[in-house]
Amino acid sequence: MVVDLIRAQVPDIEASRPLLSDADLWSAGMDSLSSVAVIVAVEEQFGVEFPDELLTREVFSSAAAIAEAVRNMVGQDSMAV
């Protein structure tokens, strides 16, 4: 689910290749502007608001890292990456 959100918000990520959950999003084509779009999309999809301390390049380095941050915020044991 997070991968689909990323693909929708970051048009520079190559659609011809699968985006693995642990792929480095910054190397794959995400920039600061598209990262804001990803943040907003994830917040809307999961009904969360990222606190300032989670708005880091590390948290938004991969779909897996984003999913982990959301899981920690909502206390879910599992969430589709």
Side-chain angles (χ1 to χ4, degrees):
M1 187 177 283
V2 174
V3 169
D4 292 336
L5 289 172
I6 293 166
R7 279 211 181 273
Q9 301 302 320
V10 188
D12 292 340
I13 288 182
E14 293 181 30
S16 62
R17 293 182 18 193
L19 179 62
L20 302 176
S21 64
D22 62 347
D24 183 310
L25 297 175
W26 300 95
S27 294
M30 187 164 74
D31 59 21
S32 59
L33 183 60
S34 58
S35 72
V36 172
V38 169
I39 291 167
V40 171
V42 170
E43 288 179 336
E44 289 176 356
Q45 178 69 39
F46 297 105
V48 297
E49 185 174 331
F50 285 97
D52 290 345
E53 62 268 13
L54 291 182
L55 296 175
T56 65
R57 190 176 179 110
E58 182 178 271
V59 169
F60 290 89
S61 64
S62 68
I66 295 168
E68 180 66 21
V70 172
R71 274 194 293 271
N72 289 336
M73 286 190 293
V74 298
Q76 290 182 342
D77 291 331
S78 63
M79 184 182 77
V81 176

